[in-house]
Amino acid sequence: MKTYRIAAIPGDGIGSEVISAGVEALTACAKRDGGFTFAFDHFDWGSERYKKTGAFMPDNGRDLIKTHDAILFGSAGAPDVPDHVTLWGLRLAICQPFDQYANVRPTRILPGIVSPLRNVSGPELDWVIVRENSEGEYAGVGGRVHRGLPEEVATDVSMFTRAGVARIMRFAFALARSRPRKFLTVVTKSNAQRHAMVMWDEIAAEVAREFPDVTWDKMLVDAMTMRMTLKPETLDTIVATNLHADILSDLAAALAGSLGIAPTANLNPERQFPSMFEPIHGSAFDITGKGIANPIGTFWSSVMMLEHLGEPSAAARLMRAIEKVTADKSLHTPDLGGKARTADVTKAVCDALAGDNQDD
Ligand code: NAD
Ligand code: MN
C-alpha cells in the first residue's frame, strides 16, 4: 500500500489547531479510502523557535522536508515578531527555494455559507485565482540607506522575468482549459506600470496562441475589484502578479463567506520539490487557543493536496464531507455566525467520510 510522507508545519497562532484538525481529517480520509496511508512528520518551526534560537527552522530545515510528498502548513506570524521577519524566515524560505511558483486559490460559495454579496448564492461565483508566487513585487529586491535621516531612501523593486511570466501564464491557460468554461482573465496594471506589466500583457498574448480553445480577456487590477463584486459570474480562472493576486484572493475569500474557509496550494508543477498546502488565513491572534478556529480552510487545502498526490477519488470524498458539514448551520464556527468548535467540525467531517458510500 502506498504511504504518503507529509511534513506538517503548524507554525504560529491557530496554525496548530487547524493543522491537527487537518491531520485528523486526512487520516480519516485515508482510512475510508483503503488504498493509501499517510505518515506525518511534525516540525515545530515558527516564531516560538525563533524567539528561543534566532531561527524559524534549523539550518538544514529544507533538507529535512525536500523528499516529502507534500507539506501541510498552518500560519506564520506572531504579535511580538515583525511580520516581514516571519514571512521571509519561514513561509517564503520554503516557497522560494522549492520553486513553488504557482499559487492556486479556488473560491466557491460552499453550501450553507452566505456571501456578503446580495443576489449571489452559489453558482455565480466559482473562480480559481492563479498567483505568480516566485518573483514580481515580492522578489525581495530593494534596500534602505541613510536610515532614520531625512534623506533616507527605501526601495522595493519588482522583478519580472520572461521565463517567470511565461511559465505562470502557461500554467494559468492550462488550468483554464481544464475547467468547463475555458476562460481566463489576465490582470495587470499596465496603464500605470509601463514596463513589466506591459511585458506581462505581451507574454499573455503570445502564450494565448498555444491555447486556441481558451478564451481570455484583460483587466486592470483596480477595475477587477469592481468586476469581482458587481459581476462575479463573468469570471472563471484569473491570473495575476504576486501582489495583485495576494490582494484579490483575500477579497475573493471574503466574498465567498469567510477567510476561515479559503484554501491554497503552492505548487512546484514540475515536482522537483514538494508542494505546500495551507489555508489562506493567518495566525488569528484574537482567537488563538480558544478552540474555535474554522478548520475548513485547512480541510479544503487538504483536498488540493490529495488531488496533487494523485488521489482524485479521496479528494472528491473529502470535498463532499466538507460540503455536507458546511450545509449544516449547527456546525458553523463563530466566524460564520455559529457556535460550533474546531473539534465539532472536525468530528463531523470525519464522520461524514466514514459514512460516505459513494465509490468514485
Ligand atoms: P488573520 O487571517 O490571522 O486574521 C484576520 C481575521 O480573520 C481575524 O479576526 C481572525 O480571527 C479571522 N480568522 C482567520 N482565520 C480564521 C479561522 N480559521 N477561523 C476563524 N476566524 C479566522 O490575518 P491578520 O490578522 O492580518 O494576521 C495575523 C498574523 O498572521 C500576522 O502576523 C500575519 O502576518 C500572519 N499571516 C500569515 C499568513 C500565512 O502564514 N500564510 C497569512 C496571513 C496572515
Ligand atoms: Mn495574503
Side-chain angles (χ1 to χ4, degrees):
M1 184 156 48
K2 172 89 191 148
T3 296
Y4 296 111
R5 290 180 60 228
I6 309 300
I9 308 175
D12 302 326
I14 61 169
S16 56
E17 298 165 55
V18 295
I19 293 305
S20 57
V23 168
E24 239 181 277
L26 281 164
T27 305
C29 197
K31 188 169 169 209
R32 166 63 186 80
D33 188 272
F36 63 92
T37 57
F38 286 111
F40 292 98
D41 289 320
H42 297 266
F43 296 90
D44 67 344
W45 303 347
S47 298
E48 286 309 315
R49 193 182 185 285
Y50 171 76
K51 283 184 266 176
K52 271 186 241 144
T53 70
F56 290 89
M57 58 161 97
D59 286 345
N60 66 340
R62 280 187 300 273
D63 289 335
L64 299 177
I65 58 174
K66 74 176 180 211
T67 60
H68 281 72
D69 294 299
I71 304 163
L72 190 60
F73 188 84
S75 173
D80 47 358
V81 182
D83 281 338
H84 66 277
V85 174
T86 329
L87 186 65
W88 285 92
L90 187 57
R91 212 177 140 269
L92 293 180
I94 298 172
C95 284
Q96 299 210 339
F98 282 175
D99 209 14
Q100 295 165 348
Y101 65 83
N103 182 278
V104 181
R105 299 181 163 198
T107 310
R108 276 194 294 127
I109 300 172
L110 299 185
I113 307 293
V114 179
S115 167
L117 292 177
R118 246 184 308 133
N119 308 326
V120 173
S121 59
E124 309 88 348
L125 198 163
D126 182 354
W127 305 331
V128 184
I129 298 180
V130 176
R131 167 179 172 186
E132 202 298 314
N133 210 30
S134 69
E135 55 176 38
E137 306 87 346
Y138 299 176
V141 178
R144 285 173 73 173
V145 289
H146 311 308
R147 266 179 199 253
L149 299 175
E151 61 271 32
E152 180 166 0
V153 179
T155 59
D156 275 292
V157 181
S158 299
M159 295 278 292
F160 289 90
T161 64
R162 174 166 280 278
V165 177
R167 68 182 181 175
I168 198 65
M169 212 54 85
R170 266 191 199 99
F171 181 92
F173 270 97
L175 182 65
R177 178 151 76 186
S178 76
R179 289 170 52 87
R181 287 170 70 185
K182 301 189 195 306
F183 176 61
L184 177 69
T185 298
V186 176
V187 177
T188 61
K189 187 66 190 171
S190 54
N191 54 347
Q193 294 177 302
R194 60 197 177 145
H195 307 294
M197 293 290 83
V198 173
M199 181 177 82
W200 179 280
D201 279 347
E202 286 168 13
I203 293 173
E206 286 166 30
V207 172
R209 290 199 278 277
E210 299 167 25
F211 297 85
D213 52 336
V214 176
T215 16
W216 68 290
D217 63 6
K218 286 195 290 189
M219 284 302 288
L220 297 175
V221 65
D222 44 352
M224 183 66 175
T225 60
M226 289 212 289
R227 183 161 163 197
M228 287 169 71
T229 44
L230 300 178
K231 292 185 174 158
E233 71 287 353
T234 69
L235 294 163
D236 188 80
T237 310
I238 297 158
V239 63
T241 70
N242 215 332
L243 171 67
H244 292 163
D246 188 3
I247 298 166
L248 294 181
S249 57
D250 273 26
L251 173 61
L255 296 180
S258 167
L259 197 55
I261 291 174
T264 285
N266 300 279
L267 300 178
N268 171 245
E270 289 74 28
R271 295 173 186 262
Q272 294 159 306
F273 301 99
S275 293
M276 182 159 89
F277 302 83
E278 55 171 350
I280 87 163
H281 64 73
S283 308
F285 313 135
D286 48 339
I287 58 163
T288 299
K290 294 190 177 158
I292 55 168
N294 191 341
I296 297 288
T298 303
F299 296 160
W300 194 348
S301 305
S302 302
V303 170
M304 300 182 81
M305 188 174 96
L306 286 162
E307 285 166 354
H308 180 76
L309 292 172
E311 298 292 348
S313 57
R317 202 176 284 124
L318 179 53
M319 198 66 216
R320 277 198 298 277
I322 292 170
E323 296 192 4
K324 185 170 177 215
V325 167
T326 59
D328 180 349
K329 287 199 178 5
S330 77
L331 291 168
H332 284 189
T333 42
D335 55 304
L336 297 174
K339 290 200 172 71
R341 303 179 58 79
T342 313
D344 304 326
V345 181
T346 308
K347 179 170 186 305
V349 165
C350 293
D351 290 348
L353 283 165
D356 183 322
N357 297 318
Q358 207 170 314
D359 272 315
D360 60 356

